[in-house]
Amino acid sequence: MTTLRLVTLSADELNRKEQWRRRLGSERDALTERTRTEENRALRTTIIEWLSETRITTVCAYVPVGSEPGSPELLDSLVALGHRVLLPVMAGRNPLEWAAYEGPDSLRRATYGLLEPSTPHLGAGAISEAGAVLVPALAVDRRGVRLGKGAGFYDRSLPLADDSAELAAVVRDSEFVEELPAEAHDVRVTGVMTPASGFTRLPV
Ligand SMILES: Nc1nc2c(c(=O)[nH]1)N(C=O)[C@@H](CNc1ccc(C(=O)N[C@@H](CCC(=O)O)C(=O)O)cc1)CN2
Ligand SMILES: Nc1ncnc2c1ncn2[C@@H]1O[C@H](COP(=O)(O)OP(=O)(O)OP(=O)(O)O)[C@@H](O)[C@H]1O
């Protein structure tokens, strides 16, 4: 009985997550190039300012693709300011591995239209060296529940981060929402970063 009920609930949650993904995805796709550029510029400024107020050196980031918030320029700015920037490398369904970003030439095409670093792989444990993890997301809620692409990569990887690390979901302002469907395996982020509001610490 109990098992059956759990399975039903979980399928339902999955459905609700999928509906959110579709809606948020079309909203992102409908943005004008101008809005996108403005938001990404604001994100770059606000992320750099936020980090400059901390003693964080190593930052885990991601190379945005399609309509994801963020920009390659942000990665270059972080490196120029002396940060060590680690980027995710997919390794099957295991936790993400990490490798250093060393400029645009250090990236190569990977599966699913992603770009990955061609520098030496540092393993899945390298995330523990980061003071901040910029986490790609479609949305995040006030409890720190994050909605991602739906493959669970960050749910498997974030538990390897240091306890003191800031786990900052990077989203558009309208994607910081009241409540998202949550599942037991969802790892909560410690903060959210948006173009207009900058970094907001969440009560995790
Ligand atoms: N820029 C960026 N890099 C990232 C992530 C991300 O969200 N954004 N990830 C965050 O986790 C990881 C990759 N996550 C992925 C999650 C799902 C699928 C996926 O569902 N692929 C579909 C095909 C999708 C398509 O081609 O449109 C599939 O498996 O069939 C791929 C990668 C690591 N790197
Ligand atoms: N810790 C885990 N170990 C193994 N599998 C997991 C774990 N966390 C999540 N998963 C698997 O990943 C699937 C997708 O999870 P979810 O929908 O929460 O992904 P997401 O957080 O949106 O995606 P992503 O992290 O890739 O951006 C889950 O149905 C589950 O099967």
Side-chain angles (χ1 to χ4, degrees):
M1 272 307 274
T2 313
T3 314
L4 250 179
R5 211 176 123 247
L6 278 176
V7 167
T8 315
L9 261 183
S10 148
D12 185 48
E13 288 299 331
L14 215 73
N15 229 329
R16 286 180 57 213
K17 279 190 169 184
E18 214 32 62
Q19 284 168 9
W20 273 92
R21 282 192 188 100
R22 255 179 244 149
R23 189 169 59 74
L24 293 160
S26 4
E27 278 176 20
R28 279 188 180 179
D29 291 343
L31 292 178
T32 63
E33 208 47 53
R34 184 183 168 150
T35 304
R36 215 169 275 185
T37 306
E38 281 171 5
E39 289 188 351
N40 289 338
R41 197 173 295 145
L43 269 178
R44 173 161 66 139
T45 309
T46 199
I47 289 172
I48 283 168
E49 269 177 22
W50 170 60
L51 286 171
S52 74
E53 290 159 11
T54 70
R55 299 164 69 97
I56 292 169
T57 52
T58 300
V59 179
C60 283
Y62 60 93
V63 192
V65 291
S67 53
E68 287 183 318
S71 59
E73 290 79 16
L74 165 65
L75 304 179
D76 291 324
S77 300
L78 291 174
V79 170
L81 289 166
H83 291 289
R84 180 170 172 246
V85 177
L86 302 182
L87 296 174
V89 182
M90 283 184 288
R93 290 277 142 178
N94 301 315
L96 292 163
E97 298 201 359
W98 301 88
Y101 176 65
E102 292 174 2
D105 292 344
S106 69
L107 298 178
R108 65 176 170 217
R109 283 265 152 227
T111 44
Y112 308 125
L114 296 171
L115 284 166
E116 288 185 346
S118 52
T119 54
H121 292 187
L122 306 172
I127 192 175
S128 69
E129 295 162 31
V133 183
L134 301 178
V135 188
L138 278 162
V140 63
D141 77 13
R142 304 206 157 268
R143 304 167 295 171
V145 172
R146 161 189 167 273
L147 184 73
K149 282 189 199 293
F153 279 108
Y154 277 87
D155 291 322
R156 289 188 290 271
S157 309
L158 293 177
L160 303 178
D162 192 78
D163 284 343
S164 68
E166 291 288 4
L167 311 177
V170 181
V171 294
R172 307 183 55 242
D173 288 87
S174 58
E175 296 164 349
F176 181 24
V177 302
E178 206 53 44
E179 191 175 340
L180 287 169
E183 292 176 277
H185 66 249
D186 288 327
V187 176
R188 300 196 183 194
V189 292
T190 62
V192 57
M193 182 64 76
T194 71
S197 301
F199 181 72
T200 305
R201 165 89 34 71
L202 297 171
V204 187

